[in-house]
Amino acid sequence: MPKSLARFSLLLIVVISLGAAWSASKIGFDYDFEKFFPLGDNDLFYFLEYREQFENDNDFLLVGFQPKKGIFDQDFLVRLDSLTEHLKSLPMVNEVYSPTNATRLIRSPLGWTPIRYLHLDQPARLQQDSLTIYSREDLKGRLFSNDGKAICLVIKHRQRIKRAAADSLMAGLNQRVTTLNLPRPHLAGKVRAQPVYLELIQEEMIAFLTASLLLVVIFLAVIYRTTWAVVIPMLVVALSGLWILGFMNLVGKPLDLMMVLLPTIIFVVGMSDVVHILTRYIEELRLGHSRMASLTTTFKEVGIATFLTSLTTGIGFLTLMTNNIEPIRDFGLYTAIGVFIAYILAFTLLPSALIFLPKPRIAVNQTARRRWKVILTNTLNWTFNHQYHIICGTLLLIVLAWIGIRNLEVNTYLIDDLPRSHPMKSDFLFFDEQFGGSRPFEMSISLKKPDLTVFDYPVLKEMDKVDAYLMQSYGTSALTSPLSIVKGLNEAVNGGSRDFYGLPDSSEMASFTKYLKQIKRQTSFQSIVREDQRYARFTGRMGDIGSSLTTYHNQQLKEFFKHSVDTNLVNFRVTGTSLLIDKNNAYLVNNMMYGLSIAFMVVALIAGGLFRSWRMVFITLIPNIIPLVLVAGIMGALGITLKLTTSVIFTVAFGIAVDDTIHFISKLKMELAKGKSVLYAIKRTYFSTGKAIVITTLILISGFMTLLLSSFGGTFYIGLFVGLTLLLALIIDLTLLPVLILLFYRPAR
């Protein structure tokens, strides 16, 4: 590369980097959980239509209190009522259901009269109020906890609320709670969770990059012992991250829960290319070649291999686009683009800089070279002397891993990524334990016969069966439906007697038609039943029991519908955001296996193209499949489940781990092309690529280990198991791979 071209390259890189820095500074953050719904799914299409008819099922905020003097203390209730009225006045709040404004209807000659359960202005009646409340099964677990020690407010806020409005709601709530000197509230809901995740994402991205930076600086300083050999590689990977962030902002892609990993991955993956180039360049200098000759040889021998490794890594990430979850697809796409940006910078910025930089002192230091040769010689000799032990040991590990894989489950919880000690996690657990859960439950009711409405007695009888099943076997609480409307009316027209909270006799249903007409304009009615009264909903809450158990419950519910409900009369269908998030798991294994199959095919094509040998295809694949099998076995043995975040471990790990194998077989091909025997070619390849493979793998592992600092369980496990996969792949590449080549590869004659 002439110096004039090098100067032009450096100038162009500076200009692009300045533009990227300006663009990256404006990148935003996306905390929309609905992006994790499965694209193209029939249940998604159904839910989108359903919520247009009713409302979005997770646009609520639960606020729980545990006052020290008890929930029926008058002073506390008065302050709670003040909070309720304040919240109702906020512009982004639609309704507030509170213990202090909870009422039951009574029909009198004067019309419908709402009667409050709590008489705040009559302290003497509060004890009797408490007895009345806890005699009603429909109130316990809704606004009043089952153990009588906590109460709950349900805030229905603006549909699909934006970030600024959500922050304003939370600020208004917290400020009023402080002003009224109320106990610290327990909070659960989308507007509570999304800002917490966003804040953690921003903090962790900085933490990951800082930790990766420090580790890589230490590694480079120890290995190359030259300032520029630390600064230039760091500049290459830093600009790679900057360029991809600038590009993302340019095309309107914000950062999200998955994208927080991108800068760290680009940082460590980009460093792999740089280390291979520098290591080979320094080795050529040690052989007495000039800087230009050393660069030429480096480009010739490392350039193709590095391009192939960037290709396999990029395609490994691109296979994530087979996933039907938008954030995972975007993560795969933009990480792949970042990998190729890193490759371009490694082969433009680095050589352009090397032309103007002096020869590093380590290039004339033969001590390190001899030390590495001794280590690699001993390792290779041990490998050749224990060939069958290596194969038998590998087979034994595979058998043990298979036992663990049989225990590997696909399961996720709504907020299981957070540690149990996190305040938000404890708040959600509080609602699971005291109020039946914070997870929304939705089920539609549609009629099969055109002459019926949801308030016809045969339909209500079917609803009654379903209601009982949902409460007793499915695990729902705080259920509201057309059935609960009729039960409440039956109680109201009978003087408010609790004994009449239930379905009236069929002979009495005719008179209920006029009562329904009188209340049909109420908001609570319209949110449950559509205008034509042929489409309605069951809505409630349930505990976060995990997607696996919920899926099982849904299957049992379908069986219940099939055998116990007249499905020729009425159709019930579970829907909602919780169902859609659970359905993601149904796609996880298929998406993961499909993506890995594509990655395997690409590696097979590369190996087949280099060697024109089916044997070499399998020899190349086996050392990279085994680490995945071992890690899957470890996850199963430790009880770590597959979920949205951990499902990318295997695709990401394979795409990166295969790089070492590609470097090894590319160099092997060059040596065999010189007419050398397989044994001698393996030795030359081992000594030539071994050091770079070890160094790059250690840097990659260190980079992924920084993810162990994460508060998110999924991110933590990505760092742990991708790092472990890379370590296992390194060991296998240095032991099993040479053995497989020696025993099974036969060069074409």
Side-chain angles (χ1 to χ4, degrees):
M1 177 185 290
K3 288 189 176 182
S4 58
L5 180 58
R7 290 191 185 94
F8 176 77
S9 298
L10 292 174
L11 178 61
L12 182 62
I13 290 170
V14 169
V15 172
I16 295 175
S17 298
L18 290 175
W22 176 83
S23 180
S25 67
K26 298 182 179 299
I27 195 166
F29 290 84
D30 183 6
Y31 69 164
D32 186 0
F33 286 0
E34 293 190 8
K35 295 290 181 63
F36 286 91
F37 291 166
L39 297 173
D41 185 84
N42 288 331
D43 281 322
L44 174 59
F45 297 142
Y46 184 82
F47 172 67
L48 294 177
E49 295 177 357
Y50 172 88
R51 76 178 182 186
E52 289 301 318
Q53 294 291 320
F54 297 106
E55 60 185 359
N56 204 39
D57 64 342
N58 64 355
D59 283 330
F60 64 84
L61 176 66
L62 302 181
V63 185
F65 293 98
Q66 287 179 299
K68 293 181 179 179
K69 294 183 179 180
I71 62 174
F72 295 103
D73 174 65
Q74 186 199 25
D75 177 60
F76 165 73
L77 290 174
V78 169
R79 286 181 284 136
L80 183 71
D81 192 51
S82 177
L83 174 65
T84 301
E85 294 303 313
H86 173 74
L87 292 172
K88 287 167 62 177
S89 69
L90 297 179
M92 69 288 299
V93 173
N94 295 333
E95 294 177 273
V96 179
Y97 299 100
S98 167
T100 62
N101 67 10
T103 60
R104 56 194 173 105
L105 285 176
I106 294 181
R107 187 175 182 274
S108 67
L110 299 177
W112 299 98
T113 304
I115 304 297
R116 292 202 177 195
Y117 288 104
L118 292 172
H119 298 82
L120 303 185
D121 56 343
Q122 301 176 53
R125 295 187 60 177
L126 289 176
Q127 183 176 0
Q128 182 58 45
D129 290 343
S130 69
L131 296 175
T132 301
I133 288 167
Y134 276 91
S135 69
R136 302 180 62 99
E137 293 299 322
D138 59 315
L139 289 179
K140 288 191 295 184
R142 189 186 294 260
L143 299 177
F144 302 87
S145 67
N146 290 316
D147 65 2
K149 296 180 179 179
I151 60 174
C152 172
L153 282 73
V154 182
I155 303 172
K156 290 289 190 73
H157 54 71
R158 188 184 302 162
Q159 294 289 288
R160 297 187 284 282
I161 193 169
K162 299 299 183 182
R163 169 74 191 282
D167 290 346
S168 177
L169 171 58
M170 291 299 298
L173 169 64
N174 291 323
Q175 182 180 20
R176 194 63 178 175
V177 166
T178 302
T179 302
L180 293 170
N181 197 28
L182 286 164
R184 187 194 79 83
H186 298 274
L187 303 170
K190 184 171 64 176
V191 296
R192 156 70 164 156
Q194 289 181 336
V196 170
Y197 274 84
L198 179 62
E199 183 179 344
L200 286 175
I201 286 172
Q202 293 171 321
E203 292 176 354
E204 292 194 352
M205 187 172 69
I206 296 173
F208 297 157
L209 285 174
T210 302
S212 299
L213 175 67
L214 292 174
L215 285 171
V216 172
V217 166
I218 293 171
F219 264 106
L220 293 175
V222 170
I223 294 168
Y224 297 116
R225 303 175 192 177
T226 303
T227 302
W228 68 256
V230 175
V231 174
I232 300 301
M234 293 298 296
L235 190 59
V236 169
V237 293
L239 291 181
S240 301
L242 184 65
W243 283 24
I244 186 58
L245 290 177
F247 175 75
M248 286 171 58
N249 180 69
L250 196 62
V251 298
K253 173 60 186 175
L255 293 171
D256 56 33
L257 182 59
M258 293 299 302
M259 286 296 179
V260 69
L261 303 173
L262 186 145
T264 301
I265 291 177
I266 297 301
F267 193 88
V268 296
V269 171
M271 189 59 68
S272 175
D273 294 342
V274 172
V275 168
H276 276 286
I277 294 171
L278 275 180
T279 300
R280 185 60 183 170
Y281 174 67
I282 291 172
E283 288 300 316
E284 289 299 313
L285 290 176
R286 283 173 173 164
L287 295 176
H289 301 144
S290 67
R291 284 183 296 170
M292 189 59 68
S294 298
L295 275 175
T296 302
T297 303
T298 299
F299 266 66
K300 180 181 177 181
E301 297 200 0
V302 178
I304 295 176
T306 305
F307 171 76
L308 292 175
T309 58
S310 296
L311 180 65
T312 54
T313 301
I315 291 177
F317 283 109
L318 285 175
T319 60
L320 294 177
M321 294 187 68
T322 62
N323 201 293
N324 63 340
I325 310 301
E326 184 179 346
I328 293 181
R329 294 173 64 160
D330 287 346
F331 170 70
L333 172 63
Y334 290 104
T335 307
I337 294 173
V339 168
F340 287 110
I341 288 175
Y343 172 79
I344 292 170
L345 282 170
F347 280 88
T348 54
L349 175 57
L350 184 58
S352 297
L354 290 178
I355 287 179
F356 297 102
L357 292 170
K359 182 185 296 187
R361 290 190 299 272
I362 196 171
V364 296
N365 184 355
Q366 298 296 325
T367 303
R369 183 170 182 267
R370 287 193 294 268
R371 187 183 301 118
W372 272 103
K373 187 171 183 180
V374 169
I375 293 173
L376 293 172
T377 299
N378 291 337
T379 304
L380 185 60
N381 288 338
W382 182 90
T383 297
F384 284 153
N385 291 331
H386 297 83
Q387 296 178 40
Y388 295 102
H389 291 94
I390 291 171
I391 292 176
C392 292
T394 302
L395 293 174
L396 177 61
L397 288 175
I398 292 173
V399 171
L400 294 175
W402 178 249
I403 297 173
I405 290 173
R406 295 176 64 184
N407 296 320
L408 190 61
E409 293 183 348
V410 178
N411 193 23
T412 188
Y413 296 83
L414 292 183
I415 57 168
D416 65 341
D417 265 352
L418 290 177
R420 192 177 182 87
S421 59
H422 194 281
M424 189 173 79
K425 186 69 170 283
S426 63
D427 280 355
F428 275 74
L429 292 174
F430 165 81
F431 287 103
D432 280 357
E433 295 167 358
Q434 301 295 335
F435 295 96
S438 59
R439 174 190 170 107
F441 171 81
E442 291 289 326
M443 185 169 66
S444 67
I445 308 163
S446 56
L447 303 181
K448 296 291 186 68
K449 296 184 178 181
D451 57 336
L452 292 177
T453 74
V454 293
F455 292 111
D456 283 308
Y457 197 75
V459 178
L460 290 170
K461 289 292 289 183
E462 299 305 310
M463 284 191 212
D464 202 26
K465 297 177 190 176
V466 174
D467 184 271
Y469 183 88
L470 291 174
M471 295 292 289
Q472 297 167 14
S473 301
Y474 193 90
T476 57
S477 64
L479 277 177
T480 303
S481 68
L483 179 69
S484 61
I485 292 175
V486 172
K487 287 181 176 181
L489 282 178
N490 193 34
E491 177 184 2
V493 299
N494 286 281
S497 172
R498 179 71 182 95
D499 295 336
F500 287 90
Y501 185 81
L503 270 181
D505 294 334
S506 58
S507 60
E508 300 173 344
M509 277 303 301
S511 62
F512 272 72
T513 304
K514 63 180 180 180
Y515 302 145
L516 291 168
K517 288 181 179 179
Q518 293 171 5
I519 67 167
K520 68 182 297 184
R521 297 304 174 191
Q522 294 183 7
T523 303
S524 58
F525 185 96
Q526 294 178 344
S527 67
I528 298 298
V529 183
R530 289 294 82 203
E531 182 69 25
D532 62 2
Q533 297 185 8
R534 292 183 47 77
Y535 192 48
R537 66 194 285 221
F538 268 94
T539 181
R541 301 193 302 269
M542 60 184 297
D544 191 12
I545 58 177
S547 60
S548 179
L549 186 54
T550 303
T551 301
Y552 171 77
H553 282 336
N554 286 337
Q555 292 170 347
Q556 295 299 107
L557 183 59
K558 288 180 180 179
E559 289 297 313
F560 173 78
F561 291 153
K562 182 179 178 181
H563 298 292
S564 303
V565 175
D566 186 355
T567 54
N568 294 318
L569 186 68
V570 59
N571 182 60
F572 297 95
R573 178 170 177 172
V574 176
T575 185
T577 54
S578 298
L579 173 72
L580 293 171
I581 291 175
D582 287 341
K583 283 205 71 175
N584 289 336
N585 288 348
Y587 298 104
L588 282 183
V589 175
N590 289 337
N591 286 337
M592 182 178 68
M593 296 307 298
Y594 185 56
L596 283 174
S597 298
I598 295 174
F600 293 162
M601 190 180 303
V602 171
V603 174
L605 289 173
I606 291 173
L610 285 173
F611 290 90
R612 312 282 183 181
S613 166
W614 283 106
R615 289 190 178 192
M616 202 62 193
V617 169
F618 289 108
I619 289 171
T620 302
L621 285 175
I622 287 172
N624 293 287
I625 294 176
I626 290 174
L628 303 183
V629 172
L630 298 181
V631 166
I634 293 171
M635 290 177 65
L638 295 178
I640 298 167
T641 59
L642 281 177
K643 51 187 176 181
L644 281 176
T645 45
T646 57
S647 67
V648 305
I649 288 173
F650 300 99
T651 307
V652 171
F654 179 82
I656 298 174
V658 76
D659 289 0
D660 289 345
T661 308
I662 297 295
H663 275 288
F664 194 98
I665 65 172
S666 296
K667 180 61 177 176
L668 179 69
K669 174 65 176 177
M670 293 180 185
E671 295 297 332
L672 290 172
K674 298 175 183 177
K676 297 173 182 175
S677 67
V678 173
L679 178 60
Y680 187 76
I682 291 174
K683 289 182 177 179
R684 290 289 304 158
T685 300
Y686 207 88
F687 297 146
S688 177
T689 63
K691 177 182 176 182
I693 287 174
V694 172
I695 292 173
T696 55
T697 301
L698 291 178
I699 289 176
L700 287 167
I701 291 172
S702 299
F704 278 102
M705 287 296 106
T706 63
L707 301 182
L708 299 183
L709 301 172
S710 178
S711 301
F712 296 113
T715 306
F716 175 90
Y717 287 128
I718 288 174
L720 176 63
F721 288 114
V722 171
L724 180 59
T725 304
L726 295 176
L727 177 61
L728 292 171
L730 173 65
I731 295 171
I732 290 173
D733 278 333
L734 294 178
T735 55
L736 182 63
L737 178 59
V739 170
L740 292 177
I741 295 171
L742 187 63
L743 293 179
F744 300 107
Y745 175 62
R746 300 292 181 268
R749 297 181 180 276

